[in-house]
Amino acid sequence: MKVLTVVGARPQFIKAATLSRALLRAGFDEQLLHTGQHYDSSMSGVFFEELEIPRPAHALGIGSASHGAQTGRMLEAIERVLQAERPDWVVVFGDTNSTLAGALAAAKLHIPLAHVEAGLRSYNRRMPEELNRVLTDHASDLLFAPTSAARANLLKEGLAEDRISVVGDVMYDASLYYAAKGGGIPEHLDAQGLCAGAYALATVHRAENTDEPARLKLILDVLDDFAGQLPVVLPLHPRTAVALGDRARTDYPRIRFIDPVGYLDMLALEKHARLVITDSGGVQKEAYFVGVQCVTLRDETEWVELVEAGWNRLAPPHEPLAMRAALEQALAAPAGREIQLYGDGTAAEKIVSALGGR
């Protein structure tokens, strides 16, 4: 059985690595299609190397563009590949433009489509990610929900129950598999003169936070001030680096900016942090997986269960007092309540079984 897996961005490489191993064990013929949405070596190449992801059979090299232009170019190119390959299944992950383009191409050609990480909702339609995942869910034949809450979202939107499977989270699978490979003290800490448990790890990359200069300045002003209390290490995403230009280290001298890091180093930085501060959906979960308190620089989150269990706090990134209060509360908070919502580390195997694997 032939599966064509569509990836394009950093979180998808991690999920694809987990699923690809399970597909290989089950005897599937998998072809990987890389749209090129993340093309920088620090955001793409290093992940394929360290996660031992199969070399893409199709590398589209689309690169950056506006949402409409990028999605349209991907849709056209993916359609050509699907017409040539005619796979039994197309698999897409998450909520990126690559996801939506792969979903539309498969649906229009009547090729069965499976969506991994289905049913997540922020209920903020201003987020391009929200539109991408809603449209992908409604175009998909199989919906692999990571949690029962995600399943409930899908049912509420009228999607058929027999299309939905709660399989757990492939990101949890990945964290278990790679933890042993990336568990040491990261060399980045030595370079910054820091030790485990004595720093905050921050990431800022989401469009609504980086594309508005006033909002990005407000976030970094708060982080720079907070760094006077607890050192802040911030791997600088290419989008954020472009938004800041040459001002990062001069305007925010207390933040320890470092280059983007691979997945194994990121897991280690999260594991040894005192606090994680992020606007990433995946990093919120990874912080929980390693038992570290998280502050999310957004008005809402798809992972509401982490807020309810006391592992995560929302910090509206347009309200400096609210951000600072959330950071202080997280520092003072005990460990959150343990939850068992992300499966048992076998989400990939459950997905493969549903696709018809042995």
Side-chain angles (χ1 to χ4, degrees):
M1 186 176 293
K2 182 188 287 188
V3 171
L4 189 133
T5 301
V6 178
V7 298
R10 170 179 174 147
Q12 293 164 336
F13 306 148
I14 302 165
K15 297 165 192 170
T18 302
L19 185 57
S20 290
R21 283 194 303 274
L23 288 169
L24 180 63
R25 287 194 298 269
F28 278 78
D29 172 16
E30 185 198 22
Q31 291 192 354
L32 206 64
L33 183 151
H34 186 350
T35 65
Q37 184 170 340
H38 279 175
Y39 52 87
D40 183 277
S41 62
S42 64
M43 299 297 290
S44 178
V46 65
F47 282 79
F48 278 78
E49 294 166 13
E50 70 178 10
L51 303 185
E52 301 174 346
I53 304 171
R55 184 180 181 86
H58 306 278
L60 305 185
I62 300 296
S64 297
S66 67
H67 286 291
Q70 185 183 63
T71 306
R73 290 173 62 197
M74 289 176 181
L75 174 57
E76 181 180 15
I78 294 170
E79 182 181 65
R80 287 197 296 268
V81 173
L82 294 183
Q83 287 172 327
E85 297 292 348
R86 302 306 292 189
D88 297 291
W89 283 99
V90 171
V91 175
V92 295
F93 302 89
D95 56 17
T96 68
N97 289 342
S98 299
T99 303
L100 179 60
L104 290 174
K108 287 177 178 292
L109 291 172
H110 309 293
I111 297 172
L113 173 67
H115 185 201
V116 177
E117 204 176 72
L120 301 188
R121 296 292 183 268
S122 69
Y123 295 102
N124 178 1
R125 289 294 182 99
R126 292 182 60 83
M127 292 173 55
E129 295 89 349
E130 180 78 352
L131 294 173
N132 289 345
R133 58 189 166 224
V134 170
L135 293 170
T136 298
D137 282 340
H138 283 260
S140 295
D141 298 282
L142 282 181
L143 296 155
F144 295 117
T147 66
S148 56
R151 176 180 180 274
N153 290 337
L154 295 168
L155 292 173
K156 187 163 57 176
E157 292 175 12
L159 289 162
E161 188 171 2
D162 61 2
R163 290 163 59 188
I164 306 167
S165 295
V166 179
V167 296
D169 195 322
V170 290
M171 292 291 282
Y172 182 51
D173 293 18
S175 72
L176 294 176
Y177 181 83
Y178 291 108
K181 297 187 176 187
I185 303 292
E187 62 182 21
H188 304 284
L189 298 187
D190 289 337
Q192 295 292 332
L194 298 173
C195 59
Y199 65 94
L201 174 67
T203 73
V204 182
H205 80 280
R206 199 167 286 273
E208 65 262 30
N209 286 339
T210 59
D211 292 354
E212 297 182 24
R215 187 165 170 138
L216 180 59
K217 181 180 185 304
L218 193 156
I219 290 170
L220 293 178
D221 280 343
V222 170
L223 292 181
D224 192 66
D225 179 62
F226 183 66
Q229 176 180 350
L230 181 70
V232 174
V233 178
L234 197 158
L236 198 54
H237 188 284
R239 174 190 283 155
T240 315
V242 169
L244 288 173
D246 298 326
R247 307 190 319 276
R249 289 169 175 82
T250 54
D251 288 5
Y252 312 103
R254 286 185 285 198
I255 298 175
R256 318 288 183 95
F257 292 102
I258 63 174
D259 291 334
V261 299
Y263 178 61
L264 300 184
D265 279 350
M266 189 64 179
L267 277 183
L269 284 169
E270 291 163 353
K271 177 181 178 180
H272 296 291
R274 173 71 178 84
L275 177 65
V276 169
I277 309 163
T278 188
D279 60 5
S280 161
V283 173
Q284 294 173 49
K285 289 184 297 175
E286 289 167 357
Y288 166 67
F289 295 156
V290 296
V292 174
Q293 285 281 329
C294 180
V295 171
T296 296
L297 302 171
R298 288 168 54 187
D299 294 303
E300 70 287 307
T301 178
E302 306 86 340
W303 305 104
V304 293
E305 63 273 7
L306 294 177
V307 176
E308 294 168 353
W311 288 101
N312 194 4
R313 282 166 178 74
L314 291 174
H318 48 84
E319 299 179 13
L321 292 179
M323 279 193 285
R324 184 68 200 218
L327 294 172
E328 294 289 352
Q329 290 165 8
L331 272 185
R337 175 172 52 84
E338 186 174 347
I339 52 178
Q340 300 291 334
L341 295 178
Y342 298 113
D344 57 4
T346 61
E349 283 73 16
K350 291 182 175 72
I351 291 168
V352 168
S353 177
L355 293 177
R358 58 177 184 267

